[in-house]
Amino acid sequence: MTVTIVGSQLGDEGKGGVVDLWGDAADVVARYQGGDNAGHTVVEGGTEYKLSLVPSGAVRGKVGVLGNGCVVNPATLFEEIDDLRDRGLDPDVRVARRAHVIFPYHRVLDGIEEEAKSDSDSEVGTTGRGIGPTYEDKAGRRGVRVGDLLDPDVLREKLEYVVPQKQRLAEEVFGVETGEEFDIASLYEEYRRYGERLAEEDMAVDAGEFLADRLADGENVMFEGAQGTLIDIDHGNYPYVTSSNPTAGGAATGTGLSPGVVGGGEVVGIVKAYLTRVGSGPLPTELGGVVGDTPGYDEQGEGENEELATYIREEGGEYGTVTGRPRRVGWLDVPMLRHAARANGFTGIAVNHIDVLAGLDEVKVGHSYDLDGEEVFTIPATTERWAACEPNYRTFEGWEDTDWGRVAEEGYDAVPENARAYLEYVSEEVDADVYAVGVGPDREESVVVENPFE
Ligand code: GDP
Ligand code: IMO
Ligand code: MG
C-alpha cells in the first residue's frame, strides 16, 4: 500500500519527522516534487539529520526515490549522500530519468529575478536554489533531464541550445554580467561526470516502473511531499509559492503511478500546531513578522505581538532548515487547513509541535475570516483577497508543560486535556482523524494513535 505525507500549511510542518516515524513499515520512500529547497529534519536518539534531497527514509535504511516531478541538483545530491555516508548511513537513492536537472545558471537566474523584483518589494523570498527557473525550463520544453546526463552527446546538444539563451537573458534583459555558471564547456564536463556517477552507482531509474514493481511485490511505498499546500503552484497563494505541486495529486504525476494508487492509500496531512512561513506573502493570523520579510504586506500584523512571536520562534527553533532565515510566526489558520483538506483529501492528520505552545495561558486559532463584511471559512483564490481577510479568533485554554517523553510513551490519553481539546477541534474542522501528535523533535517524542500502514 501507499501512504502520502503532505504539508498542510506553508512548509516545515515536520514532514521529515513523520516520514521517519512511520518509515519502519515502508520499503521505499519517494519524493515526488521539489528539490533542494526542501529541508526535512529527522532526529533519532538525539542525532539530527537535515535532508534536502535524500528522502527521509534513509535514516532507517529505506530505499529512496526522487521521482520525475522533482528537480535535482546533482552537486547537492552527491554532497548529501557523501555526507550521510560519512555519518555512518548508507543511502540507496534512485533518481528518475525524467526528473529535471538544476544547473548553476538556474541558481544565478533565481537570484537575478528576486533582485529585480525587490525594486518593487515583490520578491518571493525563494531559497535561491534555482527551483523556479528549472521548472520554467521544464514547462518551456528546454530543460535537461537526468536521463540526458547519461548520454554526453545529448547533454552537449541541449546545453548548446539553452545556455546562450540563458546568458542573453541574464545579460541583455537583466543587465547582469555572467560568469562560469554559463560556460558550456565546463558545465558539460561537470555534469557529464555526474552522469557517470549516476551510472556507476546504478541510480537512474524509470520511477513509475520501479515503484509499480515494488508495489506489485507487496511492498509498502511512502510518498514524501516537500513544501506545503499553501506554497503549491496551483493551490497556494500565488505568486508567493514554489513552482511545483506538493498537494497529493503531485504524488501521482510526480512518480508515474496513477491517481488510483495514491488515492487508494492513505493521505496524511502534516499540521504544525501554529503557523510559520519563510519568505514573503500575506499571513492573516501572523503574530509578528520579521521586519523586512513581508514586502507589500507591512500592515499584516508585523509587530502586533512581536513578543509572543519571538517566544514561539525560540521555543520551536523556528529558523529555516535550508537558509537559516528566522521564520514568521502566526496562530493556526483553520480556513487554510479546510482548503488543504479539500485539495488533498486527508484520510488522517499528524499534528506537531504541541509541546512548543505548552505553558501559554491561552492558544488562539483563526477559525474563519471576515472578508468584505462576510464570514468566510476557506481561503480566497487571490493573494490580494487573502491579504484583506481579517481572522475571527477562537481562544483555547492553554496546556501545561510536562514530561513529553512520558506522554509519548503513555499515549494519547496522557496528552494534557486542553491540548486534546485543541487537537479534537482541528480534527473535526478538517474531517480527518489524528494519527499522531508531535511532542518534540525526536522520533521517540511522538504520540502514535494510528499507524497508517497497519
Ligand atoms: P519539514 O520540512 O516539514 O520536514 O520540517 P522541518 O524539518 O523543516 O522543520 C520542523 C522542525 O521542527 C525540525 O527542526 C524538527 O526537528 C522539529 N519538529 C518536528 N516535530 C516537532 C514537534 O512535535 N515538536 C518540536 N518541538 N519540534 C518538532
Ligand atoms: P520543506 O520541504 C518552507 C518557500 C520559500 C519561498 C517559496 C519559493 O522544508 O517544507 P523556492 O526556493 O521553492 O522557489 O521558494 O517557497 N519554500 C519553503 N518554505 N519549507 C520549504 O520546504 C520550502 N521550500 C520552499 O521560502 O517563500
Ligand atoms: Mg523544512
Side-chain angles (χ1 to χ4, degrees), residues 16-39:
V18 175
V19 168
D20 174 70
L21 177 66
W22 291 321
D24 197 27
D27 299 289
V28 182
V29 178
R31 286 266 311 266
Y32 53 88
Q33 42 70 235
D36 57 345
N37 49 346

Side-chain angles (χ1 to χ4, degrees), residues 11-17 39-41 43 48 50 272 315-316 321 327 352-356 438-441 445:
D12 305 327
E13 300 91 347
K15 297 175 291 293
H40 295 183
T41 314
V43 186
E48 185 180 70
K50 289 179 182 291
K272 185 177 271 187
E315 284 293 303
T321 308
R327 294 174 181 150
N352 285 325
H353 298 89
I354 66 155
D355 56 305
V356 175
V439 297
E445 292 171 317

Side-chain angles (χ1 to χ4, degrees), residues 106-362:
H106 290 122
R107 280 199 183 204
V108 172
L109 289 165
D110 191 348
I112 288 176
E113 178 110 29
E114 286 282 276
E115 180 64 31
K117 284 182 173 171
S118 73
D119 290 345
S120 54
D121 258 6
S122 60
E123 70 266 38
V124 176
T126 72
T127 59
R129 297 299 190 266
I131 305 296
T134 306
Y135 279 114
E136 262 182 65
D137 280 353
K138 171 180 176 173
R141 296 162 297 194
R142 66 180 91 83
V144 178
R145 303 199 294 176
V146 166
D148 302 330
L149 301 183
L150 304 175
D151 188 334
D153 291 340
V154 174
L155 173 63
R156 181 172 269 283
E157 201 179 304
K158 295 210 163 173
L159 288 174
E160 279 171 358
Y161 175 76
V162 77
V163 177
Q165 270 189 21
K166 298 289 150 186
Q167 193 164 23
R168 284 203 300 279
L169 177 65
E171 291 182 350
E172 291 167 27
V173 177
F174 291 104
V176 173
E177 209 175 299
T178 58
E180 62 175 7
E181 293 92 348
F182 294 77
D183 182 70
I184 295 175
S186 68
L187 290 171
Y188 170 76
E189 273 314 313
E190 184 183 350
Y191 280 71
R192 189 179 57 79
R193 282 200 302 277
Y194 294 138
E196 283 171 6
R197 181 161 170 191
L198 287 168
E200 275 161 24
E201 300 192 22
D202 209 14
M203 290 169 72
V205 292
D206 178 320
E209 211 172 273
F210 181 84
L211 293 167
D213 286 349
R214 307 292 293 239
L215 284 168
D217 287 345
E219 295 192 0
N220 284 331
V221 174
M222 194 176 245
F223 301 116
E224 176 175 4
Q227 289 79 51
T229 301
L230 265 293
I231 48 176
D232 181 289
I233 181 100
D234 286 283
H235 305 290
N237 64 295
Y238 192 90
Y240 300 105
V241 293
T242 191
S243 300
S244 65
N245 288 122
T247 43
T253 48
T255 59
L257 294 170
S258 79
V261 170
V262 176
E266 297 253 12
V267 177
V268 184
I270 313 306
V271 179
K272 185 177 271 187
Y274 46 96
L275 210 56
T276 59
R277 156 162 230 170
V278 278
S280 349
L283 204 58
T285 60
E286 183 158 23
L287 272 166
V290 178
V291 176
D293 206 19
T294 48
Y297 292 94
D298 292 341
E299 75 283 8
Q300 279 293 319
E302 260 189 24
E304 235 174 54
N305 209 335
E306 195 58 56
E307 210 177 305
L308 187 51
T310 304
Y311 171 80
I312 294 174
R313 186 178 305 116
E314 295 310 317
E315 284 293 303
E318 297 295 356
Y319 291 87
T321 308
V322 176
T323 57
R325 291 179 288 180
R327 294 174 181 150
R328 297 161 62 194
V329 176
W331 291 124
L332 192 71
D333 185 319
V334 182
M336 177 187 288
L337 293 183
R338 292 189 196 101
H339 173 76
R342 181 188 40 70
N344 293 293
F346 295 146
T347 56
I349 55 173
V351 184
N352 285 325
H353 298 89
I354 66 155
D355 56 305
V356 175
L357 298 179
L360 297 178
D361 289 339
E362 51 183 37

